[in-house]
């Protein structure tokens, strides 16, 4: 059991490092979109008890909000 937990924590850590490395070349707008999609997906899953449609819908809405967040600052 401990080896499975250790493997799981190592896998999550590796995935997190890869994900953070992938964001290095992104613009601030793209980063906002990714963060918004993640938060929206988590919110949709929590509010509906894990329904797939709500998770995807939350990710879409969060991504759109994150993408549009930085528009007014550029003017």
């Amino acid at each position: 059991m401990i080896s499975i937990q250790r493997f799981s924590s190592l896998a999550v850590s590796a995935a997190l490092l890869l994900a953070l490395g992938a964001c290095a070349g992104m613009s601030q707008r793209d980063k906002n979109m990714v963060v918004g999609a993640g938060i929206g997906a988590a919110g949709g899953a929590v509010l509906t008890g894990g329904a797939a449609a709500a998770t995807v819908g939350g990710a879409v809405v969060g991504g759109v909000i994150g993408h549009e967040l930085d528009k007014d600052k550029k003017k």
Side-chain angles (χ1 to χ4, degrees):
M1 185 69 168
I2 293 175
S3 63
I4 292 173
Q5 289 176 341
R6 178 174 281 169
F7 176 75
S8 298
S9 66
L10 287 174
V12 168
S13 298
L16 184 61
L17 286 174
L18 287 173
L20 290 174
C23 293
M26 295 175 112
S27 68
Q28 186 62 40
R29 181 180 250 178
D30 292 339
K31 289 177 187 176
N32 289 344
M33 182 177 65
V34 170
V35 170
I39 292 171
V46 167
L47 290 174
T48 62
T55 302
V56 172
V60 169
V61 170
V64 169
I65 291 172
H67 184 265
E68 299 296 317
L69 190 64
D70 207 26
K71 256 188 179 177
D72 292 335
K73 293 180 184 178
K74 303 261 181 192
K75 291 181 180 179

